[in-house]
Structures are given as C-alpha cells and as structure tokens.
C-alpha cells in the first residue's frame, strides 16, 4: 500500500542531483515510484533543467517521469534564470540566454543509453554517466527559445543527438519569419547554433505587410542559424521564390517569381542579402496590377500569426499555474559536493525556523 505524505510543501532530495517540491506526495513502499501533485517542480541540477506541472508520476527504477496538468519543461544556460515577477508574468517572458520553455498536454522524460553502450545491471545504482535524456511532448505543444517560438502537435527531443523532431502541423517562427512543413527537425550544434530541416518540403515566409508575404518553397529546405539568427538557406528540388520588389522610396514595384533546381540564400542581420539560383532558373516580374490570380502564394502557404500568439499565451499560463518554488539557487550544481553544501544550508534554515 502506498504511503501518503500531505504537506503545504513537500521537498525531496535524491543523491544531491534531483530535487522535488510539491503540495502532496504519494510514494510506494519501495520509495522508488510514486506521484507528486499540486504545483510540482522537479529539477535536475546537473543537466540544468526542470519540469513544473500539476502532476508528476515517477519511477526511479526505470528513470522515467511523466508530467501533466499544464506541464512546462524548462532548460537553462549557465546563467541564472530571471524569476522576477515582471519576467514571470510577461507574455513574451524575459528570456535568459539559452533558456528554453516547452509546454503541452503531457510531457515525459526518460533516461536512455547511447547506442552501443552496455547497460548497468545493478538496479539500485544511479543512472550511468553516459546516459542522456529523451523528452517527449504531445497534445498542443508550444515552445519558446531566445527569439524563436514553435507550435506543433507532438515533439521528440533526444539529448544524445541534440535533435528535436516536430510533427503534427509544425510551425516555427524564428524572428520575423514563419517556417512550416510536414516535419521540422532542429539539430543543435551549440548554445546558439544549429540547423532547421524540412525533409518533406515546406515554406519559409516573411511578412512585408498585412497582405504581402515573401515566400520560399522546395521539396527539401535546410536553414543554418548562429547567434540565434538565420544565416543561410539551402533549398533543393523544385525550389521557388516569390519576392515582392520595392524601390528605394519603398514604393511597390511588383512580384518577382523565380524557379530553379537549387536555391542558396545568405542572410545578414536576419535579412536576405544574396540569392543564388542554380539549375536552369526561370523568372518573371509582374507589375502590381498584372499579378495573375493565385500566383502571389506558393502551395501550402498560410500565414498563422495567431498560432504564435496562442503558443506564447499557453506558455505564460503554464508558468503562472505552475510557479517556481525556490530551486534556482541550486544552479549551477555541477558536482554533488556543491549540492550537498547547498542543501546543508537549506536544512539549517529549516531547523532555525522550527525553533
């Protein structure tokens, strides 16, 4: 039979690495599994991420955690997260550099071994040092990192490969752009660098005004980003660019349509600087009054700015309903001795309050 602990604030420490706060805690006899309920906050001080939720089911023997009740997964850089009231309640939310927020109906976290690693047969031991995290989120997933916002039905992120896969009508808004496709893969190569891949085709769009949108489409698109900004685009197989041309006085000249086998585009300060079309490019420029019906959009394009606002609002509500409960002083805790000292200090403060 489970043992039930009910308190105004439950705090559990596991091997000076994992910390759990909740209003209620239901623990099995072996103390390896259970469920935390009510403003749950679970922190991994080594990997520097947390899960907040209304409910958290855990099984330490399987290194598996499942969160629901407007859960939010947050990862951090070496810098401390901004926990000021203004940052916690802002729609955009003041973003600490390299801080990432992800919310959905359900989030799971599983410790896994890299391929080729031999598992540890001792079930009582800690997870192997070479094990990493596999995260899954499904049911209206929304994320925010630096200047990018994302929305999709489901997301899988494997820490070993630093690869996130978005499916179910995925959308990413890097800066002023909108990226859409059947599948979006995000490969991280550093804190602020990596690639965005659309292996099954998609559209990159940029809004000129409420009615005019620059658009690029192809069967495969790759975007390279660095310093949290797009630097390079490579589109292959039926590449097409629709670009609205303006003059030096910002007067509208017309719509330029160019098709080719391959398109390479270079960016400077988030704006296109140079385009290179390869493989029998063909182009046409229509004056504003002569653009044929339907030629001002590419197949599959639909500007969905309202979904971006909905994603930000969803993240905000998850943060408000599942607030920080005081674990950020543990960051960075790169070794158990540091975590031990921090927790000795916390224990001393609790004893003094009781006196």
């Amino acid at each position: 039979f489970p043992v039930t602990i009910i308190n105004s604030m439950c705090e559990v420490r596991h091997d000076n690495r994992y910390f759990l706060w909740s209003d209620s805690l239901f623990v099995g006899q072996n103390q390896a599994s259970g469920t935390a309920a009510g403003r749950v906050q679970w922190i991994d001080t080594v990997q520097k991420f947390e899960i907040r939720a209304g409910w958290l089911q855990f099984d330490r023997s399987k290194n598996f955690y499942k969160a629901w009740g407007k859960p939010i997964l947050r990862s951090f850089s070496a810098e401390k997260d901004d926990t000021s009231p203004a940052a916690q309640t802002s729609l955009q939310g003041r973003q600490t550099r390299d801080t990432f927020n992800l919310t959905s109906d359900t989030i799971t976290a599983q410790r896994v071994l890299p391929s080729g690693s031999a598992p540890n047969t001792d079930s009582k031991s800690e997870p192997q040092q070479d094990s990493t995290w596999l995260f899954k989120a499904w049911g209206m997933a929304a994320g925010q990192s630096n200047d990018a916002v994302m929305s999709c039905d489901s997301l899988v992120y494997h820490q070993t490969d630093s690869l996130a896969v978005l499916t179910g009508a995925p959308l990413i808004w890097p800066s002023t752009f909108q990226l859409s496709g059947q599948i979006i893969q995000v490969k991280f190569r550093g804190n602020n660098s990596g690639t965005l891949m659309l292996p099954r085709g998609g559209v990159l769009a940029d809004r000129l005004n409420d009615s005019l949108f620059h658009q690029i489409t192809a069967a495969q698109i790759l975007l390279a980003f660095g310093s949290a900004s797009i630097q390079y685009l490579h589109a292959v197989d039926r590449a097409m660019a629709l670009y609205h041309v303006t003059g030096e006085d910002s007067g509208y000249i017309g719509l330029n349509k160019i098709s080719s086998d391959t398109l390479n585009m270079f960016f400077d300060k988030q704006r296109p600087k140079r385009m290179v079309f390869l493989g029998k490019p063909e182009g046409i420029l229509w004056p504003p009054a002569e653009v044929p019906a339907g030629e001002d959009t590419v197949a599959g394009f639909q500007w969905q700015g309202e979904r971006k606002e909905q994603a930000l609002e969803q993240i905000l509500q998850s943060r408000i309903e599942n607030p920080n409960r005081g674990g950020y002083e543990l960051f960075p805790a790169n070794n158990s001795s540091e975590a031990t000292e921090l927790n000795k200090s916390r224990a001393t403060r609790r004893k003094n309050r009781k006196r």
Side-chain angles (χ1 to χ4, degrees):
F1 296 95
V3 177
T4 302
I5 304 174
I6 301 178
N7 202 331
S8 59
M9 184 173 179
C10 302
E11 180 178 341
V12 179
R13 181 186 69 201
H14 182 220
D15 296 305
N16 300 313
R17 171 172 179 167
Y18 306 113
F19 295 81
L20 173 67
W21 292 265
S22 65
D23 291 337
S24 302
L25 186 63
F26 306 85
V27 184
Q29 281 187 325
N30 60 3
Q31 298 186 358
S33 61
T35 302
R39 298 182 302 162
V40 180
Q41 183 176 15
W42 179 77
I43 292 179
D44 182 337
T45 62
V46 176
Q47 295 295 335
K48 297 183 178 64
F49 75 88
E50 68 170 348
I51 294 177
R52 301 187 205 165
W55 297 81
L56 178 72
Q57 185 179 34
F58 60 90
D59 188 336
R60 293 209 319 267
S61 64
K62 298 179 180 179
N63 300 305
F64 179 79
Y65 300 81
K66 178 180 179 180
W68 66 97
K70 295 192 176 179
I72 183 164
L73 168 69
R74 310 188 73 219
S75 63
F76 302 90
S77 68
E79 299 179 11
K80 284 190 175 181
D81 181 58
D82 184 356
T83 58
S84 66
Q88 294 294 321
T89 58
S90 169
L91 178 61
Q92 293 288 339
R94 179 180 171 184
Q95 288 288 300
T96 303
R97 180 173 59 84
D98 304 335
T99 298
F100 177 67
N101 295 303
L102 174 67
T103 184
S104 65
D105 291 342
T106 307
I107 295 176
T108 62
Q110 172 82 58
R111 296 277 300 187
V112 295
L113 288 173
S115 59
S117 300
N120 193 331
T121 57
D122 184 359
S123 60
K124 295 182 180 180
S125 64
E126 270 294 280
Q128 293 180 217
Q129 292 300 315
D130 58 347
S131 62
T132 56
W133 287 101
L134 174 66
F135 300 102
K136 296 181 179 180
W138 63 90
M140 297 178 61
Q144 180 187 18
S145 177
N146 298 308
D147 199 23
V149 179
M150 55 132 293
S151 175
C152 62
D153 184 65
S154 61
L155 178 147
V156 176
Y157 174 69
H158 203 304
Q159 195 178 46
T160 301
D161 302 323
S162 296
L163 177 65
V165 180
L166 287 63
T167 57
L171 287 164
I172 294 182
W173 297 270
S175 185
T176 62
F177 299 95
Q178 176 182 283
L179 191 65
S180 60
Q182 295 184 41
I183 297 176
I184 300 179
Q185 300 175 350
V186 186
K187 178 74 173 181
F188 299 97
R189 292 177 178 167
N191 290 337
N192 284 302
S193 64
T195 57
L196 289 164
M197 297 164 282
L198 286 78
R200 298 184 184 176
V203 179
L204 174 70
D206 188 16
R207 183 169 62 180
L208 182 63
N209 55 42
D210 290 340
S211 59
L212 300 178
F213 301 88
H214 304 307
Q215 302 156 58
I216 294 174
T217 184
Q220 295 183 36
I221 296 177
L222 182 144
L223 285 164
F225 62 90
S227 301
S229 63
I230 297 175
Q231 297 182 335
Y232 171 73
L233 176 144
H234 178 65
V236 297
D237 194 0
R238 302 186 301 279
M240 180 188 297
L242 294 181
Y243 194 81
H244 296 277
V245 183
T246 57
E248 293 183 359
D249 59 352
S250 298
Y252 184 49
I253 295 175
L255 175 63
N256 194 9
K257 175 183 177 180
I258 304 178
S259 302
S260 66
D261 293 335
T262 302
L263 165 62
N264 296 323
M265 180 178 289
F266 302 87
F267 292 77
D268 182 30
K269 297 180 181 178
Q270 292 284 59
R271 309 310 308 167
K273 182 179 181 181
R274 183 164 64 97
M275 291 188 291
V276 179
F277 295 89
L278 303 173
K280 300 179 179 179
E282 297 180 357
I284 184 172
L285 175 63
W286 290 295
E290 299 179 14
V291 178
E295 290 290 347
D296 59 346
T297 58
V298 300
F301 168 70
Q302 182 181 4
W303 189 260
Q304 301 190 59
E306 71 284 353
R307 275 188 62 183
K308 180 179 180 180
E309 296 304 316
Q310 291 169 2
L312 289 169
E313 180 65 23
Q314 182 181 346
I315 294 168
L316 172 62
Q317 291 302 318
S318 295
R319 292 175 63 178
I320 292 175
E321 295 194 23
N322 296 296
N324 166 39
R325 305 201 67 176
Y328 293 134
E329 67 270 23
L330 299 169
F331 290 101
N334 293 316
N335 54 68
S336 58
S337 61
E338 182 178 356
T340 300
E341 291 302 318
L342 285 167
N343 282 278
K344 284 181 179 178
S345 176
R346 291 169 64 86
T348 300
R349 290 199 300 269
R350 285 196 298 270
K351 289 181 180 179
N352 292 336
R353 286 198 296 269
K354 290 180 181 180
R355 292 175 184 173

